[in-house]
Amino acid sequence: MLTKTDYLAYLQCPKALWLRTHHPELATPPDDATQRRMRIGQQVDVVVRGLFPAGYQVPYRPQPAERVALTAEAIANGAGVLFQPVFSANDLLVIADILVRRDDGWHIIEVKSTTKVKKEHLPDLAYQRYVLEQSGLEVAGASLLHLNPACISPNPDLFTEAEQGDALEPHLARAAADIPAMRRIAANSTAPDSGIGRHCTRPEQCAFYEHCWQDIDGLTIFDIPRLTPKREQPLREAGVLYLQDVPPDADLTEKQRDYVDFHAGKKIEIDRAAICRELANLEYPLYFFDFETIDYAIPPFEGCRPYQQVPFQYSCHILHADGRLEHREFLHTTADDPRPPLVNALLHDIGEQGTIAAYNISFEKGVLLHLADRFPEHAARLQDMANRLWDQLTIFRKFYKDWRFRGSNSLKSVLPVLAPKLSYKALEVQNGVQAQVAWEVMITEPDESRRKEQIRNLLAYCHLDTLAMVEIHHNLTALCEQTGG
Ligand code: SF4
C-alpha cells in the first residue's frame, strides 16, 4: 500500500520512496529534535480532539483493511466526527487526522503543530483528499488546523482553521499525475538515479541522509550560498561535486566565486584592526551570557504564545578588567513557571555596568524583552540588559574567516579551531534541543539520583557555552596584543 508518507517521500526525492519500500532499515532513527517534534504533534492532537467532544476514534487494528471497514461502519452509523479514519483506494492508503460532517458534506481537517500553513502542507492534504475521493467519499472541503500565533495564554483561541480550496487544486492534479510514477518506482527492483542535493534537507532532512551522504567529506556545490538551480545544473551535469572541482569559468556570482575560492583554497582571512576596534569598545566587567529555553506548542504559562522561548536556565561567566573570572548560573528544577525565579537571579547576577556578550544576540535579546514585557516592575533593568548586549558572532560574520569553520560561523564550528581543548563531545547534553529534552525529563523525574544527573548534565552544557565564549575572547585579545592593537 502507498501511504501519504510514501507520497511525501516521493515528492522530496524518488529515491527516498524507493528506499522506504525496499530498504527501510537504512533510514536513520529520528534524532532528539525529530522525536521532540513528534511528541509536540501528539500533544497538539490531544488538545485539538477536545474541540470535537462528539468525535469518534476509529479503533486501532493491525490490518489497515479492518480499520477501513470500521471507518465505513462508523460513517454508515451516522458518526459526525471521526478521529483517524482510514480510507483506501486500490493500493493507496490514507489515515486522516479528523473528518467532520458539516451541512455541505464531509470536511477533512489536517492538524499541524505549526503556527502557519507551510507550502509542504498542501501536497499532504491534497493526497488525502485525492484518496478519500477515489475511495468514493464525497469531500466538500479540506483544511489545515494550525496553532494561532497571536494567541497569548490563557486565551482559549489557540487554533486557526484555514480552508484550502483553490490553493489545493494544482496539488490535487499533481497527486493524480504522480501516483502512476510512484507505483513504478516502488515496484522497481533498482533504485532511481536521484543524486544528492539541496533537496535532501528540504523541507526536512531526509531519513536516508546519513546513508546517501556517508561518503561526502568536505564542502560541496550544495553549500554555495544562494546557488540557483540554473547555475547548479551545469555543475551537476559536469559531475562537479566538491568546491575544489568547480571550474574557473563556472557561472557564479562574484560572492559565490569568492566563497568557492576561499574554501577550495583553504584560506584564512583575519581583519585584526577591525577585531581590535570591536574589542576596544567593550566595557568591563564583561558578562559572557547564554540562555537555555523551552518552547511549548501549547503554552502552559501565562503571557506566552505558541513556541514562545521560555528561559529555564542561564550561565554567565564574568570577566573583570584585572583578569579575574567568576561564574554564575541558574537552573529551574521544577515544573512550574521558571521565569519569576530566573528574573530574580538575573537581577542579582548581572550588574548595572558592563557589556553583556552573547553569541547571536537576537535570541538573548528576544528573551530579555519578553521578560521585560512580562515583569513590568523589572522592565527598566531587563531592557537595559538587552541594550548592553554585544554579539561575539559579529567577529566571525565580518572579520574572522577560516576555511576550517566549514562554511558555518556557529559557536560549535568556531570553537574547535580557536579553542580546541574545549569540546562538547564528552558531554551528555551537546546542543540546545538536547538541553530542552533533558530539562523536560528532569522536571518530571521521580528518581532523585537520575534527576541530579540531568541537573549536572544541563549545568555542564550551559557552563561550556559561556566558557567557550571566554576562551574565544582570550584568543581574540591575544591576537590584538600580538599586533599591538
Ligand atoms: S538523502 Fe537525498 S538523495 Fe538520498 S534518498 Fe534522501 S533525498 Fe534522496
Side-chain angles (χ1 to χ4, degrees):
M1 295 292 250
L2 293 170
T3 65
K4 184 182 80 170
T5 312
D6 289 326
Y7 181 54
L8 298 179
Y10 167 79
L11 289 182
Q12 183 163 15
C13 166
K15 186 176 173 186
L17 168 65
W18 188 87
L19 285 168
R20 273 179 62 78
T21 311
H22 296 273
H23 289 288
E25 75 283 0
L26 296 178
T28 305
D31 62 8
D32 290 316
T34 310
Q35 286 182 34
R36 183 162 188 269
R37 265 205 314 278
M38 287 156 64
R39 282 198 298 276
I40 286 173
Q42 288 160 2
Q43 289 160 4
V44 168
D45 275 349
V46 169
V47 177
V48 167
R49 284 173 185 219
L51 304 176
F52 301 91
Y56 168 76
Q57 168 68 50
V58 175
Y60 179 76
R61 296 285 183 275
Q63 294 304 322
E66 290 182 62
R67 297 171 74 190
V68 171
L70 287 169
T71 300
E73 192 181 304
I75 289 174
N77 289 339
V81 178
L82 291 93
F83 298 138
Q84 297 199 301
V86 184
F87 294 87
S88 69
N90 301 317
D91 57 346
L92 310 177
L93 184 80
V94 150
I95 305 170
D97 280 341
I98 305 174
L99 190 65
V100 182
R101 196 197 299 257
R102 290 182 176 150
D103 291 344
D104 58 346
W106 288 104
H107 284 249
I108 305 167
I109 299 178
E110 170 70 9
V111 180
K112 294 294 178 197
S113 49
T114 53
T115 52
K116 61 181 180 185
V117 172
K118 294 188 173 181
K119 69 177 193 301
E120 60 266 25
H121 295 160
L122 295 175
D124 172 333
L125 190 59
Y127 184 81
Q128 295 181 49
R129 181 164 187 162
Y130 178 81
V131 176
L132 263 65
E133 287 180 337
Q134 290 294 305
S135 77
L137 192 81
E138 283 190 26
V139 179
S143 56
L144 293 159
L145 188 75
H146 61 81
L147 290 155
N148 172 10
C151 171
I152 297 179
S153 176
N155 183 338
D157 202 11
L158 191 56
F159 294 96
T160 300
E161 185 176 342
E163 177 68 33
Q164 304 299 315
D166 293 346
L168 215 54
E169 289 303 324
H171 299 279
L172 276 168
R174 173 149 189 206
D178 281 340
I179 283 162
M182 270 177 76
R183 287 191 178 115
R184 277 197 303 279
I185 286 163
N188 212 327
S189 59
T190 52
D193 188 20
S194 318
I196 57 167
R198 289 170 205 264
H199 61 278
C200 297
T201 51
R202 294 177 187 170
E204 284 176 1
Q205 182 156 308
C206 173
F208 299 99
Y209 185 92
E210 285 185 15
H211 167 69
C212 293
W213 287 70
Q214 59 187 316
D215 296 327
I216 302 299
D217 183 19
L219 293 178
T220 69
I221 57 168
F222 311 119
D223 293 301
I224 300 174
R226 288 175 282 284
L227 187 67
T228 57
K230 188 166 160 261
R231 289 195 160 108
E232 184 186 298
Q233 191 60 23
L235 293 170
R236 290 179 80 122
E237 283 168 4
V240 175
L241 179 60
Y242 291 105
L243 293 188
Q244 60 266 31
D245 300 324
V246 174
D249 60 349
D251 178 21
L252 298 174
T253 65
E254 202 180 318
K255 278 194 172 164
Q256 289 166 345
R257 170 50 63 190
D258 287 348
Y259 180 89
V260 170
D261 290 347
F262 183 86
H263 289 282
K266 298 190 170 178
K267 293 184 185 175
I268 298 172
E269 285 173 6
I270 303 172
D271 184 343
R272 286 183 168 80
I275 293 171
C276 301
R277 275 198 303 277
E278 278 281 325
L279 297 190
N281 285 333
L282 305 182
E283 191 185 336
Y284 284 92
L286 283 175
Y287 297 88
F288 292 90
F289 188 82
D290 183 53
F291 277 127
E292 296 305 324
T293 61
I294 188 97
D295 56 340
Y296 293 102
I298 316 279
F301 307 126
E302 216 177 299
C304 291
R305 298 171 197 275
Y307 298 110
Q308 180 91 50
Q309 299 290 345
V310 176
F312 61 81
Q313 179 179 12
Y314 67 75
S315 169
C316 181
H317 276 90
I318 308 170
L319 182 63
H320 295 272
D322 60 7
R324 255 180 323 119
L325 187 65
E326 292 178 68
H327 182 242
R328 304 279 163 79
E329 62 191 352
F330 172 86
L331 174 63
H332 195 63
T333 56
T334 50
D336 55 339
D337 189 345
R339 294 170 299 172
L342 180 137
V343 166
N344 285 337
L346 206 52
L347 296 175
H348 177 264
D349 287 342
I350 307 272
E352 297 194 34
Q353 281 196 326
T355 301
I356 303 171
Y359 210 91
N360 198 5
I361 59 168
S362 58
F363 184 78
E364 268 68 28
K365 189 171 229 163
V367 173
L368 283 168
L369 293 179
H370 164 70
L371 293 174
D373 192 43
R374 186 70 205 137
F375 300 94
E377 67 278 25
H378 301 306
R381 285 279 310 274
L382 293 164
Q383 276 164 359
D384 178 59
M385 287 179 203
N387 291 337
R388 284 157 53 205
L389 282 166
W390 170 77
D391 206 338
Q392 195 177 54
L393 172 61
T394 305
I395 300 284
F396 300 99
R397 276 207 179 120
K398 293 184 180 171
F399 310 129
Y400 195 134
K401 297 185 178 162
D402 189 319
W403 69 277
R404 292 170 296 175
F405 300 161
R406 298 173 69 90
S408 160
N409 43 32
S410 73
L411 187 57
K412 289 176 179 70
S413 301
V414 168
L415 190 64
V417 178
L418 268 77
K421 67 179 195 296
L422 292 183
S423 169
Y424 290 85
K425 285 194 181 131
L427 299 183
E428 285 296 320
V429 173
Q430 298 184 359
N431 59 50
V433 173
Q434 289 180 356
Q436 292 178 327
V437 173
W439 189 71
E440 285 179 311
V441 170
M442 183 268 290
I443 57 174
T444 53
E445 173 62 67
D447 182 284
E448 195 52 26
S449 70
R450 281 207 290 269
R451 214 171 93 80
K452 283 186 174 154
E453 190 185 333
Q454 296 286 14
I455 289 174
R456 276 196 301 277
N457 293 341
L458 281 161
L459 291 175
Y461 168 67
C462 204
H463 177 271
L464 183 56
D465 263 350
T466 52
L467 186 62
M469 282 192 274
V470 174
E471 283 298 313
I472 289 170
H473 180 76
H474 284 325
N475 192 307
L476 297 174
T477 308
L479 201 70
C480 290
E481 283 165 359
Q482 283 163 22
T483 53

